[in-house]
Amino acid sequence: MRFGRTLELAVYAPWREQYIDYAKLKKLLREDESAANSPDRQTAEQWTEDDEGDFVAELVNVQLEKVHAFHKETYDQLRDRTAKCEQKLDAVAVSPANGAGGKENEAPAEGSGNGNGNGKKPVPSEEEKSKIMKDVLSELDKITKETSELEKYSRINYSGFLKAAKKHDRKRGHAYRVRPLLQVRLAALPFNKEDYSPLLYRLSAMYNFIRQHLDGAETRGMSISEPNNGKEEYTSHRFWVHPENLLEVKTIILRRLPVLVYNPQTTKIAEANQPNPSITSIYFDNPGFSLYTQKVDHGEATSLRLRWYGQLNARPEIYVEKKTVRDDDTASEDRLAMKEKYVQQFISTEYKMDKQIQKLSDRAGASSPEVKNFKTAVDDIQELIKSNNLQPVLRANYTRTAFQIPGDDRVRVSLDTDLAFIREDAIDTDRPIRDPDSWHRTDIDSNGLEYPFSSIRKGEISKFPFALLEIKIRSADRKRSAWVKDLMSSHLVKEAPRFSKFVHGVALLFEDYVNTFPFWLSEMETDIRQDPQAAFEEEQAKARKERDDEFAVGSLLTTKPSKSSLRSGSKAVLSPVGSPNVSSSFQPKSLDARKSNLAPVAESQPADTAGEPDDDETGTRGAATSKLTTLFPSFSTSKYARSRRTALPPGVSKPETWIKDSGPVKVEAKVWLANQRTFIKWQHVSVLLGTLGLGLYNAAGVDNNVARGLAVVYTLVAVFAGMWGYFVYMWRVSLIKGRSGKDFDAVAGPVIVCLGLGVALVLNFVFKYRAAIEERQDNQVALNAVSWNQTAAMPHFGDL
C-alpha cells in the first residue's frame, strides 16, 4: 500500500487539517512529471534552485512547524484538562470517606490543603459527588481517546516526513540532499519523542479513584495489600504487542486497572513522576544447555534465575528464584532474597544463609514449617547448581508496567517493553564474555548501562521487537471480565502461549550450541499487526466453529463421565478419543433424548459409578482389552457396551474423520527441522562415501582389481544412503501431515549401511592381507634365488 493511502486511512477526522500535506509535497516534487512514461519528463528534469527552495521551505518550515505546533498545543491542552479533572475530584477526595463506617462528621483527609475542615468550602452531597465523578469519568474517556490518537498522529506524521525526504533524495537528490537538514530540524522539534507515561499515570490514578467510589470498593489510604502467600493458582495468557499498538493497549487497560510500580520494599500506586522500573534477570544453564532443552521439549523443566530491580550499583536486593514445571502443567517455585555480596558465595555453595535461617528460627521457631521450607529451598537450589554444573549464561533486561486493582488480585496485567537479551556466559574459556570468577558482567553493572546498550558488541545482544503482555486470571474466578476477553481477541495483540524469555534468548544468542528451537521463532520476521475487521471476523468464525464442534461432539458422546469429573462433581463428557473436552455448561438437546434410553442402565448402578462399566459385571479381561474398551466403548463386544449403542439423533451424521484430524495441520517448527536435519545427515554420509569410492577408484592402478572393486562397493553404498535418506524424509513428511500415530523409526537403512561398510572393510583387510603374504613369499623366493646364484658363482677351493 502506498504511503498516501496509509496516511488517508490513519487520519483522525477532527484533526484532518493538521496532518502533513503529503500530496502538496509530492506536487512540489513534481513526482508525476518525473515518471519514465511522462510526456513532461524533460521539463521535470530541469530541477532548479527555486524548485529546491520551495520544496525545502514547505517541508521544513511550513509542514514541520504546523505539525509540531499542533502536537504541542494538543498535548498541553490534554494536560490542562487532566489537571481540571483532578481539581474536580479534590472536592470528593477531601470529603468524609465513604468507607469509614458512614461517619459523615469525620475529619477530612490530611494534606488536603484547601481548608475544607474549616468550612471554607461546602462538602458536596452524595448525589453531587456521584454526578461529579460521572462527569469526570466521561471527560477522562475523551482525554484517553485523544491521547491515543495523538500518539498515532505523531507517529504517522514522523513517517510522512521521512518518506518525503527519502523520495526527494532519490528523485532530486543529485545536487541537494534534504535528509540531513530534516534530521536536524526533527531534533529541534521532537514531536515524535513525547513520553506519554506521566499523563497515563495521572489518568490511571483518577480512573482507579472513580471506580472505587462508584463501585463502593474504596480501599483506605490507596494502599496495596500484601500478596497472598497461599497456594493461589492463576491462568496465564501471554501476547506480543506491536510498538504501534502499545499505547492503545495501555489506554484500554488503565481504564479498568490502575498502574502500579514495583518497589524493592513495597508495591504502591504509581505517581506521575515515577518511571517504570527496569528489571534484570540472569538465567542459569550449563554448557550443554540441558535446562533449555527440557523447557523446549515441554517436559518436566526446571529454571533458575537471579532477579533485581533497577541498577545493581544501587545495592538492590537480589532474588534467587527456582521454578519447576511438571508434566501435568503444575508448577512449584522457591524464592530466596539476599544481598549482592553473598551471591557468588551462594552459587559456589559456600554460603548457606545461616543468618537468615537463625532469624527465622528466632521468630517462628526452629521446628516451624517456615524454617524447614526455607532450609529445603536453600539445599535444593544449591544442589541443582552443583549437580548440573550451572553458570550464568543469559541476561534479560526490560521495563515493566504493571496494572492491578489495589487489594484485588483477581486480574493482574504486566506489560514488558524495551526487552533486550545479552550473553552472560563464560563457556568459551579462551574468550569468556563474563569473568568466570564473577556471577555477572561487571562491564554492564559497574558502568550502569541501560537500554539500548549501545556499547555491547553486536553478537552479544539481541533486542526483542515487540512488547510482552501477560494477563493472569485467578483460577478460582472462572468468570472472565468482558474487557479482558475483548482485549485478548482483538487485533492489538498476538497470542504467544508458551513464550519464554529464557528460551527465546538462548535460541537467538546460542544458536550454535543448541539443536532444538522454539516454534515461535519462525513468526519473528512476520508482521503481527492485523486488520481490525479481519481480526473480528476471524474471532467470530473461531467462536462459531467451537460451538459447532461442541454440538457435534456432544451429540455423539455417551453419558460416561471421566473419573476426574466424578471426583470434582462436574458432568464433563468424553470425546471420541476419550478426553474430556466438553464442559458441563453445554447441554446439547440430543442428550435429553438419549437419557430416556439409558435411564434403566444408569438406575441399575450405584450413584458414584453410573455410566461406567463394571469389571465384575463383564468378567475378567486382559489389560489390553480393558484399555481398548475404555478408550473405544463402541468397539466393545460386551453386552453392556452393546446396550449403550443408540441411533444417531436426526440431523447428525456419523463423522468420517476424528476430531484430532480435523482443522489445519499445525506442527511445531522443531519437528520439521528435525526431519530436515536427518535428511541432510544422510546426504552428508552419501557424499562422503561417494567421494571415498571415487578417490579410491582413481588412485587404484589398472591392474589393482581389488581396490577398484571396493571403490564400486563404496559407491553403491553411497547411492543407497542418498536414496534411503530421501525416502525416509518423504515418508516422515507424509506421517506428519497425516497426523499419524505410527512410529517414526526406520532402522533398516542404518543397519544396511553399517553392514555394507563393515563387509567392505573386512574384505579390504582380507585382500590386503593376502596380497601382503603373497608379496612376502615372492620376495623370499627371489632372495633365495639370488643367494643360490651368488653361491654358484663363487670358485671352489679345488679349482685353485
Side-chain angles (χ1 to χ4, degrees), residues 156-176:
I156 193 66
N157 281 283
Y158 178 74
S159 301
F161 285 116
L162 295 183
K163 288 281 187 180
K166 180 180 178 181
K167 191 179 293 291
H168 168 274
D169 293 347
R170 187 178 70 250
K171 295 182 177 295
R172 309 295 187 186
H174 304 293
Y176 309 97

Side-chain angles (χ1 to χ4, degrees), residues 350-361 374:
E350 298 175 0
Y351 176 63
K352 299 291 186 180
M353 304 188 72
D354 296 330
K355 292 183 179 179
Q356 287 87 334
I357 294 176
Q358 185 60 41
K359 290 181 181 179
L360 187 60
S361 300
F374 192 87

Side-chain angles (χ1 to χ4, degrees), residues 672 675-676 679 683 722-738 744:
W672 297 110
N675 193 23
Q676 293 174 3
F679 171 72
Q683 304 312 306
M723 295 177 62
W724 177 263
Y726 178 77
F727 163 75
V728 171
Y729 172 76
M730 297 304 298
W731 173 63
R732 287 174 177 165
V733 166
S734 63
L735 292 182
I736 294 173
K737 290 183 177 180
F744 277 50

